[in-house]
Amino acid sequence: MPACAAMIELLRWPLPVDAGNHAAFDTYLRLSLDAILALFALANILLFFGVLARRRTSRPVHKLTLEYIPLALFMGLLIAVAVHAERMWAHQRFVGAAPDALQVEVTGMQFAWYFRYPGHDARFGRTSPTLVAPGEGNPLGLDAVDPASKDDIVSSELVLPAGREVDLALESQDVIHGFSVPALRLKQNAVPGQRAHVHFTATKPGRYAILCTQVCGLGHFRMSSTLRVVTPEEFTAWLHAHEVQR
Ligand SMILES: [Cu+2]
């Protein structure tokens, strides 16, 4: 029985823990995997009976309905899934977040992720590549002359309040990095010279992995971080603790 349970679990295409409301993502993913598995099984069954039929007669055997109707049905299903999935993907990126969404800037660099919060003034301060100095505690090159940068908070872990929409702005200081949070079903490239936005709401408190999914250099294997989803009260306390540190 344990083997049977393991087989059933395997057939359900196990996915990482869902830290948000991503049931639709998971449904489409499982549906497309189920359809491909069914198509693979059907193709092999047809091949098997085709070989048997070919042994009984020397004439080529064509069953058009058997060959093309299932293919057309599967094609229609996969096209419908692709269209719906593309709409969800585009909504996360090209339909703006709510005005009160939490703004967080994500910067990838060889080989770390940094997360910047705008502070009380809700404005990100100026940065300059000439001021970038990770060894001196200024990995993003914050310009201290700009008043808007004085309350900016820079962290090496991403801390988010559960239940509040977040608008991430992704960029890179050097090469292309792949920002990936499997628990949020989120993957977005951070490209030098471009600022990509993606918005979502994390709902389940916990610690989740952040990965880099682009081979970005010799240290790519260690380019990871942590997403910590906390309660709104814990998030306010975390922000306050960082403001006191500055
Ligand atoms: Cu990377």
Side-chain angles (χ1 to χ4, degrees), residues 177 212 214 216 223:
H177 299 282
C212 177
Q214 289 284 354
C216 54
M223 186 165 170

Side-chain angles (χ1 to χ4, degrees), residues 55-200:
R55 282 186 169 178
R56 287 196 213 105
T57 173
S58 57
R59 286 185 295 115
V61 179
H62 278 296
K63 294 272 187 192
L64 289 181
T65 49
L66 259 183
E67 290 174 17
Y68 291 111
I69 288 179
L71 268 182
L73 289 175
F74 278 115
M75 194 183 295
L77 176 68
L78 290 176
I79 288 173
V81 168
V83 168
H84 280 277
E86 194 276 344
R87 279 186 187 157
M88 287 196 299
W89 178 88
H91 183 270
Q92 262 198 326
R93 287 158 177 80
F94 304 125
V95 177
D100 63 344
L102 175 68
Q103 305 290 319
V104 183
E105 187 187 83
V106 181
T107 303
M109 67 183 73
Q110 291 171 321
F111 298 96
W113 295 107
Y114 286 101
F115 307 96
R116 181 158 69 128
Y117 300 76
H120 280 304
D121 62 1
R123 285 199 303 135
F124 289 112
R126 194 167 53 226
T127 59
S128 168
T130 59
L131 298 173
V132 170
E136 294 165 27
N138 192 6
L140 302 182
L142 279 182
D143 187 350
V145 175
D146 182 10
S149 74
K150 291 202 185 308
D151 64 348
D152 286 6
I153 293 167
V154 178
S155 169
S156 57
E157 70 171 348
L158 178 58
V159 180
L160 299 176
R164 180 172 172 192
E165 189 178 23
V166 180
D167 182 12
L168 290 188
L170 290 111
E171 50 189 49
S172 167
Q173 274 187 0
D174 37 45
V175 299
I176 298 177
H177 299 282
F179 183 75
S180 171
V181 190
L184 293 172
R185 312 297 189 255
L186 178 65
K187 192 185 282 186
Q188 172 64 48
N189 278 352
V191 181
Q194 290 182 16
R195 201 171 167 86
H197 280 264
V198 59
H199 59 94
F200 59 86

